Amino acid sequence: MAIPFPERYHKAARYVDLKFGDLEHNAQLSNEHKLVFYALRQQVEVGPCQAPAPALWHVKERHMYNAWRSLASKSKFECMVLYVEALEQYLGRTDWVEELARMETESTVTPPGPSTDGMEDDIQKHQAPTEENIRYLSHQLAITRRELERYKQERDERAPQRLVLHLPGRHTAGEEWCVPMKRPHHAEYIVVPSKGVRDWAKWFDML
């Protein structure tokens, strides 16, 4: 029996999440498919686009904005149907409903053994408000802060510079027009904190 809407849409959206993950970094989908799935889902779950248009030099954000804005005249239900149709056209003969059921079953299975970084075990062991546990968590907090500061410093050093243009007659006194300069190619490779540091930072509510 066919699954009715809106349940069919919600299952399709769940399938896309599990199958493709973060659309922006997915290598399977073309940019056109990414824009279609993004725009239709935004129209369904957020509504018509009310955000201001991104700057012209933000090319990717501009494409996303235009794709979402192009659906302004379509209803929520229409976009649900179009989303499912777009998914089924992309998959062809694949039975995505059956595949979704299998993926959901697999995603609920807890992998055996402790976590890779041991953070959850550490938290469990040091939950009691004892002097030793407080000292341990304080030590972890100090390490996390130090690593985050190092990361932020390296990130800021590699951040794209701004070209400041002074345009007479185009701005008020003291105002500057700033245009981002293209960052050097090597600066794309920015060191990020390790997974363990990121997890501790989130647990301490630092991210």
Side-chain angles (χ1 to χ4, degrees):
M1 181 182 294
I3 303 172
F5 286 91
E7 182 183 357
R8 190 171 184 81
Y9 161 78
H10 292 303
K11 284 186 174 293
R14 173 66 173 162
Y15 176 87
V16 170
D17 289 342
L18 291 176
K19 180 73 172 180
F20 304 114
D22 182 2
L23 293 182
E24 183 176 350
H25 299 98
N26 182 274
Q28 295 176 259
L29 298 171
S30 67
N31 288 335
E32 290 74 14
H33 282 107
K34 291 178 183 180
L35 285 174
V36 167
F37 289 134
Y38 165 79
L40 288 170
R41 192 162 181 175
Q42 288 291 102
Q43 187 72 6
V44 170
E45 300 181 8
V46 180
C49 179
Q50 303 294 334
L56 291 175
W57 52 80
H58 292 157
V59 179
K60 180 188 70 177
E61 290 77 6
R62 192 83 180 186
H63 282 309
M64 296 170 67
Y65 171 84
N66 289 335
W68 186 5
R69 288 275 294 179
S70 69
L71 301 173
S73 63
K74 297 193 178 297
S75 68
K76 180 176 180 178
F77 184 80
E78 284 181 289
C79 290
M80 286 184 178
V81 175
L82 290 172
Y83 187 95
V84 174
E85 288 181 350
L87 175 62
E88 292 177 343
Q89 287 175 7
Y90 173 80
L91 295 174
R93 295 180 177 274
T94 301
D95 186 347
W96 64 268
V97 176
E98 181 179 332
E99 188 176 354
L100 172 64
R102 183 171 65 254
M103 289 191 296
E104 287 183 325
T105 300
E106 293 172 353
S107 67
T108 58
V109 176
T110 303
S115 60
T116 54
D117 56 20
M119 176 189 166
E120 290 83 358
D121 293 337
D122 284 346
I123 293 174
Q124 291 294 328
K125 292 177 182 177
H126 298 87
Q127 279 188 338
T130 64
E131 182 178 348
E132 179 183 353
N133 289 346
I134 292 173
R135 191 161 49 240
Y136 172 81
L137 293 175
S138 297
H139 177 66
Q140 290 297 335
L141 177 59
I143 293 174
T144 303
R145 279 179 172 166
R146 185 167 60 250
E147 290 297 315
L148 285 178
E149 285 302 320
R150 181 182 63 81
Y151 157 65
K152 290 176 182 178
Q153 182 178 358
E154 293 179 355
R155 180 196 61 190
D156 293 343
E157 288 174 354
R158 292 169 172 80
Q161 299 176 345
R162 295 191 306 173
L163 175 62
V164 180
L165 304 178
H166 295 277
L167 305 177
R170 293 289 302 279
H171 59 282
T172 59
E175 183 181 355
E176 297 174 337
W177 291 66
C178 299
V179 180
M181 297 175 66
K182 185 177 181 180
R183 72 169 68 208
H185 178 71
H186 72 274
E188 295 292 339
Y189 302 95
I190 299 177
V191 178
V192 298
S194 66
K195 182 178 184 299
V197 171
R198 293 199 306 273
D199 288 343
W200 276 111
K202 290 178 182 177
W203 195 76
F204 284 122
D205 200 22
M206 297 170 69
L207 286 179

